[in-house]
Amino acid sequence: LQNTVGVAQDLDAAESGQTINLVGSIRLQNLDVAPDPTAYYLTLELKHVNITNEEITVEWEEVENFTGVIGGDFNLEIDLGSVAGEETYRFGMKGYEGGDLLCPSSTYRPDATCSIPFNISIDTYEPNLMQIQVLSKDTDRNIDSNWRTLYDDTWVVPSATQSIRMTAQDLPAPPAKLDMHYWVENDHDANDDRIPDEDEYIVLTLNSDGNAPNATYYGNFSDNANLGLDPEGLVSIYIVGFDLAGNAIDGGTAGFD
């Protein structure tokens, strides 16, 4: 089970956006041979717990149905739609007509139908990059008024220790880290065209302070190489990061557009 950005998940506590991938293989017992794909189908079912007159019943609703796969190896991308919150699903092989159906390894905790259940927290909210700020030169970082918000045309005095602060917001928690991609003209403009190309950026990883729903990230970099340039040296920054569910933060892209 992989989340929206392809990270393998714990079947007991998966976290993802609305898109998941189920990756695996089906083989005949003790053979590296796949069964006839026309002899079975695969299903994804959503668990419903009903309470009527103090009686609890469990129902499984089929939400996806796939034909058998040629060669037995599958990588199924599934859009869970508008579902949000915590849900339980199960994925299984049904209708096999070529013999007995053997359950997957106990590692996957198969149920009585040989399906694999998994619990997943579905987060459809993308992290929000609220602001990026730079510390005014030679000032106290503990005083908020010393931090200036960066805009597309903000002028900043070059420094060997340029301090950056940014804030991200998300529920239940913002990304644990953000990657700041930065480009300093006189250090990284390999082709001297004054345009930051994707492969010219340097990456600085900034760790969250652990707060939620608003987290703060600090980092330092040098743009001192731009000091004294005429015309004035350029700097470009964009941010990449994901929450636990794999939802991406909108932190811009390479270049000045």
Side-chain angles (χ1 to χ4, degrees):
L1 170 61
Q2 298 177 347
N3 70 4
T4 300
V5 290
V7 176
Q9 298 295 295
D10 182 339
L11 295 178
D12 289 316
E15 297 189 73
S16 182
Q18 70 181 54
T19 303
I20 62 172
N21 277 68
L22 295 172
V23 184
S25 61
I26 302 169
R27 296 290 187 270
L28 297 176
Q29 185 180 18
N30 298 325
L31 297 173
D32 189 20
V33 177
D36 179 356
T38 65
Y40 69 93
Y41 61 96
L42 302 170
T43 65
L44 179 69
E45 298 174 301
L46 173 63
K47 183 179 181 180
H48 296 285
V49 178
N50 304 311
I51 303 176
T52 306
N53 297 327
E54 300 184 354
E55 181 179 348
I56 299 176
T57 59
V58 174
E59 295 181 355
W60 291 93
E61 174 195 1
E62 184 179 287
V63 293
E64 290 285 354
N65 184 306
F66 306 92
T67 58
V69 289
I70 298 173
D73 296 328
F74 59 86
N75 186 338
L76 306 173
E77 181 177 299
I78 300 172
D79 187 338
L80 299 177
S82 59
V83 176
E86 296 187 359
E87 300 287 357
T88 297
Y89 289 84
R90 70 180 183 185
F91 176 71
M93 178 178 174
K94 301 290 181 67
Y96 183 57
E97 300 174 347
D100 295 331
L101 177 62
L102 303 180
C103 287
S105 162
S106 59
T107 303
Y108 300 101
R109 314 107 65 251
D111 62 14
T113 70
C114 289
S115 296
I116 301 172
F118 59 90
N119 302 316
I120 184 169
S121 176
I122 304 164
D123 175 8
T124 58
Y125 296 102
E126 297 176 350
N128 177 31
L129 183 61
M130 300 178 67
Q131 62 181 359
I132 302 178
Q133 297 176 304
V134 62
L135 182 66
S136 296
K137 191 175 179 65
D138 299 325
T139 61
D140 186 346
R141 66 187 295 125
N142 295 311
I143 300 175
D144 274 348
S145 59
N146 291 335
W147 291 91
R148 301 165 53 208
T149 299
L150 285 178
Y151 299 101
D152 286 344
D153 56 355
T154 302
W155 185 83
V156 179
V157 177
S159 170
T161 55
Q162 202 71 265
S163 293
I164 291 290
R165 179 174 77 173
M166 59 188 73
T167 307
Q169 181 183 68
D170 194 18
L171 290 172
K177 63 182 180 67
L178 295 175
D179 286 337
M180 185 181 88
H181 296 243
Y182 70 94
W183 176 90
V184 178
E185 181 181 353
N186 207 36
D187 273 335
H188 308 132
D189 189 14
N191 54 8
D192 296 322
D193 64 353
R194 307 203 80 201
I195 297 174
D197 300 314
E198 178 70 44
D199 60 357
E200 294 178 337
Y201 282 79
I202 303 298
V203 180
L204 175 66
T205 298
L206 312 181
N207 294 315
S208 164
D209 63 3
N211 290 330
N214 298 332
T216 303
Y217 309 76
Y218 291 93
N220 296 288
F221 74 101
S222 174
D223 60 354
N224 208 44
N226 281 351
L227 190 64
L229 288 187
D230 185 16
E232 294 165 345
L234 302 172
V235 174
S236 173
I237 292 173
Y238 71 94
I239 309 301
V240 174
F242 304 89
D243 63 16
L244 288 173
N247 299 308
I249 198 165
D250 183 359
T253 58
F256 292 123
D257 294 332

Coordinates of all heavy atoms in Angstrom, one line a residue, residues 50 57 93 97 118 126 129 202 209-210 250:
N50 N -22.7 -1.0 11.1 CA -24.1 -0.5 11.4 C -24.6 -1.0 12.7 O -24.3 -2.1 13.2 CB -25.1 -1.1 10.3 CG -24.6 -0.7 8.9 OD1 -24.3 0.4 8.6 ND2 -24.6 -1.7 8.0
T57 N -23.7 -4.8 13.1 CA -23.4 -5.6 11.9 C -22.3 -4.9 11.0 O -22.2 -3.7 11.0 CB -24.7 -5.8 11.0 OG1 -25.2 -4.5 10.6 CG2 -25.7 -6.5 11.8
M93 N -8.8 -11.0 -3.7 CA -8.9 -11.8 -5.0 C -10.2 -12.6 -4.9 O -10.5 -13.3 -3.9 CB -7.7 -12.7 -5.2 CG -7.7 -13.5 -6.4 SD -6.2 -14.5 -6.5 CE -6.5 -15.5 -7.9
E97 N -11.4 -19.7 -10.2 CA -12.0 -20.9 -10.7 C -11.0 -22.0 -11.0 O -11.3 -23.1 -11.5 CB -12.9 -20.7 -11.9 CG -14.0 -19.7 -11.6 CD -14.8 -19.3 -12.8 OE1 -14.3 -19.6 -14.0 OE2 -15.9 -18.7 -12.7
F118 N -6.9 -3.0 5.6 CA -6.0 -1.9 6.0 C -6.8 -0.7 6.5 O -7.9 -0.4 6.1 CB -5.0 -1.5 4.9 CG -5.7 -1.0 3.6 CD1 -5.9 0.4 3.4 CD2 -6.0 -1.9 2.6 CE1 -6.5 0.8 2.3 CE2 -6.5 -1.4 1.4 CZ -6.8 -0.1 1.2
E126 N -4.3 20.1 1.3 CA -2.9 20.4 1.0 C -2.3 21.4 2.0 O -3.0 22.3 2.5 CB -2.7 21.0 -0.4 CG -3.2 20.1 -1.5 CD -3.1 20.8 -2.9 OE1 -2.9 22.0 -2.9 OE2 -3.2 20.1 -3.9
L129 N 1.6 27.2 2.4 CA 2.8 28.0 2.8 C 2.3 29.4 3.0 O 1.9 30.1 2.1 CB 3.8 27.9 1.6 CG 5.1 28.7 1.8 CD1 5.9 28.1 3.0 CD2 6.0 28.6 0.6
I202 N 20.4 24.7 -5.4 CA 20.9 24.0 -4.3 C 19.7 23.8 -3.3 O 18.8 24.6 -3.2 CB 22.0 24.8 -3.5 CG1 23.1 25.2 -4.5 CG2 22.6 24.1 -2.3 CD1 23.8 24.0 -5.1
D209 N 9.3 23.1 13.6 CA 9.4 23.2 15.1 C 8.4 22.3 15.8 O 8.4 22.2 17.0 CB 9.2 24.6 15.5 CG 7.8 25.2 15.2 OD1 7.0 24.4 14.7 OD2 7.6 26.4 15.5
G210 N 7.6 21.5 15.0 CA 6.7 20.5 15.6 C 5.4 21.0 16.0 O 4.5 20.3 16.4
D250 N 2.2 24.1 -2.0 CA 2.4 25.0 -3.2 C 3.5 26.0 -2.9 O 3.2 27.0 -2.3 CB 1.1 25.7 -3.6 CG 1.3 26.5 -4.9 OD1 2.4 26.5 -5.4 OD2 0.3 27.1 -5.3

